Amino acid sequence: HTLLPDKVAGRPLCMEQYKYIFGAYRVPGEKVDSCQVFSTENPQPPNLIVAYKNQFFSVDLIKDDQYATQEDVYQIFKEITEKYNETGKDVGILTSTNRDLWYQTYTELTKDQTNASNIEKIAKGLLVLALDSHEVVEADTDANDNDIEKQLNTVCKDILIGGGVNGDAGNRWYDKRLQIMVGNQGSVGVIGEHSNIDGTTVLRMCQTVSQFAGTPDDYQRSQELPPIHKLEWNLSNSVESRIEQAKEHAATIINNISITILNWEGYGKEYVKSQRMSPDSFLQMIIQTAYYLLHGENASQYESGATKLYLHGRTETIRSTSVESAAFCKAFLSDGVSNDEKKMLFKKAVEGHKNYALQASMGQGWDRHLFGMKVWALENGMAIPEIFNDPSYNTLSQFKISTSQVTLSSPASVACFAPVVEDGYGISYNIKSDNFIISVTSFDSCSKTNALKFYKSLKQVFHDIKVILES
């Protein structure tokens, strides 16, 4: 209630999601998971969960209205990393596996009072702070044109997969709404459990943390450090067997993901604005054209649009693939179309995207509406409307290009996520004044997609579009 409201064009946005950053937890269920929310009726203790070498520790940060200082927190981390050097039992890896398997294991785990108490401490903790200890291996990729690319290629994969199952993949608790990872080489990353908060909400938290990081405390250091409680687990043979299953599952996923980072330094937001185009819409068309150049066809392209102008608003789908964008992609590869006409078609496609994005943010999209109809039918035992069985609807719902803009102020930062379909790409981007930082992911198991080839296609399109605009 003390946060100033977010605003767009001077209009305040709904702030409901902010109470879930620290005050909510995802609980595995038999058929569907649920969200546990903490409030005055269900209070949340001020404890921090620290993960180190697959072990979990609970530390109270506030006692008798006295906050732990930065120096206190540093000393806590120092004590944990110096005192507890044995590798834990990999319980955290269970939260990464198939939700049905995790629910079965969770049910068995919580029959034991000690295990149930541990999970409650984690659930009610403010966040998980994961101190990673594995040796970071520089990413093996041909896409290293500059220092930022080299750095982010390594860091993104390291944070996303935790150095593999023999590293820190088990040094996570994915049901926790907020996790902050700190690598032993100084990198910092955030993983958010996405079910009832959106990226923009966590983004503001990150920006606030960055703004105040390193500033002096305005309160006195406590006389003694708060106690560190290590969470000990009682594991049956069947639970230990499921942990091994979860590790095998995680290893399969980890070995299947390719991540490539592009730091395009040819131009950035300021150049695009000088051309009187929306930087986000511009980049959406760059991505779509790169896909067309590589695959010779258009595909459903997803972008998340916030609808927080409305009470409890979440998102609506911005469908970036349009009649206008398809016309430009076709013209882009045609030698028979002049650069003047290509420029006109490109700007028309960018403007079309900008208008649709505005409609979506105002609640005028159709994806969430249709999805709500389908869920309503399923939950009430009704026949599913025929539209949902139509091949065209299924094609539209297969987002081979899933994108998200996550703009951060630090010079070398980008978000990263996996594709949402087997034969697709996950693409996140950071729009900066004089450059664009883009992460591209694909699955190695799919012979049709390749993150490195997409990276090269993006570079080609970035170059060619500027030639067209300046012709």
Side-chain angles (χ1 to χ4, degrees), residues 84-260:
Y84 300 95
N85 277 303
E86 292 185 1
T87 301
K89 296 182 178 180
D90 284 316
V91 179
I93 201 76
L94 290 165
T95 63
S96 73
T97 195
N98 175 275
R99 300 304 293 180
D100 291 334
L101 177 63
W102 172 217
Y103 168 72
Q104 295 165 12
T105 313
Y106 171 87
T107 303
E108 182 175 341
L109 264 177
T110 52
K111 289 177 181 177
D112 178 275
Q113 189 171 356
T114 298
N115 296 335
S117 176
N118 289 346
I119 291 177
E120 183 179 22
K121 283 187 174 69
I122 295 172
K124 288 190 172 183
L126 296 171
L127 57 95
V128 171
L129 193 291
L131 301 173
D132 286 355
S133 59
H134 66 276
E135 182 180 351
V136 177
V137 179
E138 187 170 301
D140 182 19
T141 176
D142 295 330
N144 282 338
D145 279 359
N146 52 61
D147 288 341
I148 288 181
E149 286 185 5
K150 291 177 184 178
Q151 178 184 350
L152 289 178
N153 265 309
T154 298
V155 170
C156 281
K157 187 160 190 176
D158 191 62
I159 288 172
L160 191 65
I161 69 175
V165 293
N166 295 320
D168 283 302
N171 204 47
R172 307 280 187 270
W173 199 273
Y174 290 104
D175 290 349
K176 196 65 192 146
R177 188 69 68 235
L178 178 65
Q179 296 187 89
I180 298 177
M181 282 68 58
V182 181
N184 62 7
Q185 86 287 19
S187 61
V188 179
V190 174
I191 293 180
E193 200 289 303
H194 212 330
S195 58
N196 71 342
I197 59 173
D198 300 317
T200 52
T201 306
V202 177
L203 182 61
R204 177 169 177 184
M205 185 215 69
C206 293
Q207 291 169 333
T208 303
V209 169
S210 297
Q211 179 183 350
F212 290 101
T215 57
D217 292 320
D218 57 2
Y219 40 85
Q220 296 295 316
R221 186 181 174 195
S222 55
Q223 295 297 312
E224 59 183 24
L225 291 179
I228 299 169
H229 302 286
K230 182 183 177 185
L231 307 185
E232 302 284 1
W233 303 91
N234 297 322
L235 304 182
S236 65
N237 290 337
S238 63
V239 170
E240 290 185 342
S241 174
R242 286 171 180 161
I243 287 174
E244 292 305 311
Q245 284 181 257
K247 289 170 72 174
E248 291 176 8
H249 178 260
T252 300
I253 295 173
I254 287 167
N255 293 332
N256 191 30
I257 190 81
S258 285
I259 303 172
T260 304

Side-chain angles (χ1 to χ4, degrees), residues 44-62:
Q44 177 183 26
N47 66 306
L48 170 69
I49 301 299
V50 181
Y52 179 64
K53 290 196 169 182
N54 304 344
Q55 306 167 95
F56 294 89
F57 307 85
S58 178
V59 184
D60 289 339
L61 295 182
I62 307 173

Side-chain angles (χ1 to χ4, degrees), residues 243-470:
I243 287 174
E244 292 305 311
Q245 284 181 257
K247 289 170 72 174
E248 291 176 8
H249 178 260
T252 300
I253 295 173
I254 287 167
N255 293 332
N256 191 30
I257 190 81
S258 285
I259 303 172
T260 304
I261 309 297
L262 169 63
N263 176 35
W264 175 258
E265 296 180 302
Y267 52 90
K269 174 176 64 178
E270 296 307 318
Y271 173 77
V272 176
K273 288 168 66 176
S274 74
Q275 297 291 313
R276 298 184 178 181
M277 288 183 283
S278 157
D280 181 73
S281 298
F282 176 91
L283 203 47
Q284 284 289 318
M285 293 305 104
I286 292 284
I287 291 167
Q288 190 170 147
T289 308
Y291 184 93
Y292 191 89
L293 176 63
L294 183 59
H295 294 282
E297 62 180 12
N298 296 108
S300 288
Q301 182 167 325
Y302 174 96
E303 181 184 8
S304 177
T307 55
K308 291 198 290 184
L309 279 166
Y310 297 93
L311 182 65
H312 299 170
R314 290 293 305 272
T315 64
E316 177 57 276
T317 302
I318 301 171
R319 286 188 169 269
S320 299
T321 309
S322 64
V323 172
E324 294 85 0
S325 68
F328 170 73
C329 287
K330 184 177 180 180
F332 178 76
L333 293 184
S334 174
D335 294 332
V337 178
S338 69
N339 277 355
D340 280 344
E341 187 173 354
K342 289 179 182 179
K343 182 195 299 186
M344 181 271 294
L345 290 171
F346 181 74
K347 289 196 169 186
K348 188 175 180 180
V350 170
E351 188 65 19
H353 175 273
K354 177 185 173 182
N355 291 335
Y356 190 82
L358 178 61
Q359 292 175 32
S361 68
M362 295 300 294
Q364 300 302 307
W366 53 266
D367 279 83
R368 301 296 185 257
H369 179 73
L370 289 181
F371 178 72
M373 289 174 59
K374 182 177 181 180
V375 172
W376 177 266
L378 289 170
E379 289 182 345
N380 290 277
M382 300 165 62
I384 297 176
E386 282 301 311
I387 186 175
F388 299 112
N389 297 317
D390 189 281
S392 297
Y393 183 82
N394 291 329
T395 299
L396 284 170
S397 302
Q398 292 293 304
F399 289 106
K400 294 185 179 183
I401 316 169
S402 182
T403 74
S404 180
Q405 179 193 163
V406 180
T407 295
L408 298 156
S409 58
S410 55
S413 55
V414 70
C416 185
F417 58 88
V420 298
V421 294
E422 177 67 23
D423 57 343
Y425 296 95
I427 300 174
S428 185
Y429 51 92
N430 188 353
I431 296 175
K432 306 189 77 63
S433 292
D434 299 310
N435 62 304
F436 299 105
I437 305 177
I438 306 172
S439 68
V440 182
T441 64
S442 64
F443 292 123
D444 292 343
S445 56
C446 179
S447 60
K448 298 177 182 178
T449 56
N450 185 293
L452 180 58
K453 289 182 179 179
F454 201 100
Y455 160 95
K456 293 177 179 178
S457 186
L458 280 170
K459 290 178 67 175
Q460 183 66 49
V461 173
F462 268 124
H463 172 271
D464 291 354
I465 288 297
K466 189 174 185 183
V467 171
I468 290 170
L469 293 175
E470 295 183 349

